[in-house]
Amino acid sequence: MNAIIRIALAILFLDNFVVGAWNAIWPASFYANFPTVDLTPPFSEHYARDFGTTSLAIALLLGIAAVKPKAHFVIPAAAAYSVFALPHFFYHLTNMQGGDRG
């Protein structure tokens, strides 16, 4: 079970790290190239960098939990990720006008 938890945390870490770094370092590129982002104009460098650094902060928590999968690391990391990811998912699920479900 520990291996499954580590793998799941590592996948979430990589996803948040890549998206966060891209958004924080190259926000215009992220806006122009990441699917569905251009459906929510206008571009705001400030907002994009804030989103990116928040994703990096969550990635840090997930990374710590993946390396040390103890409850006092995993639970806060999973909670932080869930607080971000669930509303974000439902926003995209209900606001896809002009986009496709793919």
Side-chain angles (χ1 to χ4, degrees), residues 89-97 101:
F89 170 77
F90 283 110
Y91 174 83
H92 283 287
L93 189 65
T94 59
N95 291 280
M96 291 296 295
Q97 298 83 1
R101 296 286 176 204

Side-chain angles (χ1 to χ4, degrees), residues 15 22 25 29 56 75 84 94 97:
D15 176 58
W22 185 9
I25 298 167
S29 170
L56 288 172
I75 292 169
F84 160 76
T94 59
Q97 298 83 1

Side-chain angles (χ1 to χ4, degrees), residues 37-70:
V37 174
D38 61 345
L39 297 175
T40 58
F43 170 70
S44 168
E45 182 177 352
H46 178 211
Y47 173 75
R49 288 186 190 272
D50 284 355
F51 176 84
T53 54
T54 299
S55 293
L56 288 172
I58 293 170
L60 175 65
L61 290 174
L62 292 164
I64 292 168
V67 171
K68 288 283 208 182
K70 304 290 184 199

Side-chain angles (χ1 to χ4, degrees), residues 8-24 30 34 50-63 77-78 80-86 88:
L9 290 165
I11 290 168
L12 293 175
F13 164 79
L14 285 172
D15 176 58
N16 277 268
F17 182 80
V18 169
V19 169
W22 185 9
N23 213 349
F30 183 86
F34 198 86
D50 284 355
F51 176 84
T53 54
T54 299
S55 293
L56 288 172
I58 293 170
L60 175 65
L61 290 174
L62 292 164
Y81 178 79
S82 297
V83 165
F84 160 76
L86 290 174
H88 187 80

